[in-house]
Amino acid sequence: MATSKQDSGPFDLTIRNGRIGNADGTRFADIGVRDGVIVAIEQGLPAGKEDVDATGLWLLPGGIDSHTHIEQLSGMGVMCADDFYSGTVAAAFGGTTTILSFCAQHRQDRIPDVLADYAQRAKEKAVIDYGFHLILANPDEQALVHDLPRIIKDGITSLKVYMTYDKLKLDDYQLLDVLAVAGEQSAMVMLHAENHDMIRWIAKRLLERGHAAPKYHTIAHDALAESEATNRAIALSRLVDVPVLIVHVAGEETVDIIRKAQQLGAKVFAESCPQYLFLEASDADKLGMEGAKFCCSPPPGDKASQEAVWAGFKDGTLSVYSSDHAPYRFDASGKLPKGDATTFKEMANGVPGIELRLPLLFSEGVMKGRLSIEEFVALTATNHARMYGLAPRKGAIAVGADADVALWDPACKVVVDAAMLHDRVGYTPYEGRELQGWPVRVYSRGRCVVKDKELQVERGSGQFIARTRPEPMIDRKPSAGRGLFSGLVGLKNPFSGK
């Protein structure tokens, strides 16, 4: 593929002699870049002002991580360890060139104030491109009728809602309100699906019996809590005929529920994360408080659950692979607010993973033959771009796309050590793992961001990406069979009764 733009002067950048991997195939070709955009892909391109020989390397689209918690105050009032500088630096060193992070509304917050706050912090600090999802905790009339339509128009075309956590959870009625507005406004709704009362009921009985260690977190968050809530979320989305995406899928039964719903035609999509491929519930059963380093919600399962997630990625049941980077330090500022006396209900919930997300999957998936390079690219970049309104600008190496390119060395071997990582967490649950394959150079919009293990760009050089309608919403054709919902389509004010 070449374009007439090739004749308008020398390229700013050429990357030559590498093998390009996209979700739809691979080829040996050179990449020509001008003004941050790919303008030519063909063999034998002339040298650019910056000329890179990529012999022996894979040229892959820069990763998109669509599930990150950065510089975010949790529902428990705990601030993440990473700000938009350290978080995006860590992402870049792991081959990711675009992140979507959460702007968290707490119940008392005004949505415009929340978004303005996060936007300012990211603008000052981010080194790669970014966008936002809104965490919606208070779906009142102001939010549903005024704020959501406005922010969706401004390019924040996705939001997240919770079915658990005391300070964030929405009931089913509220979820239906949110889904109805999302359907009308063409936004993607992401759901944290766990049954709140199941977890609360088990946790109360565990604590009454003195079972407070980190390992009991995995018992309180029984796999049935995830599968029940997922089944209910799918039913709610079917009622109003609006697509949903279930985030951080962990359990074997949950994967099966999603697969069967998809086979029946339900518009349900799903995501999973490194912790559900590479960690197990038993990791939380360590001496003292060490198990807290492995605790997230939903918790990892057993070997069968890991295999179910792998199978879900392979057959398309799970279409995006994100980090769910939740960076909390192993001290009173994060995981252990009461030191060794912290109960499993009091510790900050989540694990870091933004830098290791791609190397883990490349090593254990591509290099060990569990995934093709095309499947790797789809799961780590292309499907994210399509799901969240970033395509065709992001997610593929193509003429007209941003020059977001990671150069991967499949022969590079790395032993994971927390000291080598660029986040501010201070530990990694993947300590000591030997990985094969690593991004050795990373470009964002044609700018070299990482080279020779050094950062090449300044803080604040990333750009906010206003997103368009997600593809599942573009393709949406409301079902004629849902008579109840047919009378609500086009409802401008869900409180008006009109």
Side-chain angles (χ1 to χ4, degrees), residues 5 17 89 100 124 149 171 178 223 266 276 290 332 347 354 365-366 370 433 444 448 453 456 462 469-470 480 482-483:
K5 293 182 181 179
N17 304 320
V89 168
L100 298 179
E124 293 172 352
D171 62 32
V178 172
Y276 307 116
E290 282 293 309
M347 65 186 181
I354 199 167
V366 177
R370 301 198 71 153
R433 287 178 178 264
S444 166
C448 185
K453 301 181 180 180
Q456 305 293 313
R469 293 168 66 190
R482 295 240 58 89

Side-chain angles (χ1 to χ4, degrees), residues 5 7 37 70 78 121 182 208 233 244 298 355 360 405 426 447:
K5 293 182 181 179
D7 301 323
V37 175
I70 296 177
V78 179
R121 286 183 272 155
E208 286 174 345
V244 294
E355 188 165 351
L360 282 163
V405 184
R447 308 171 302 137

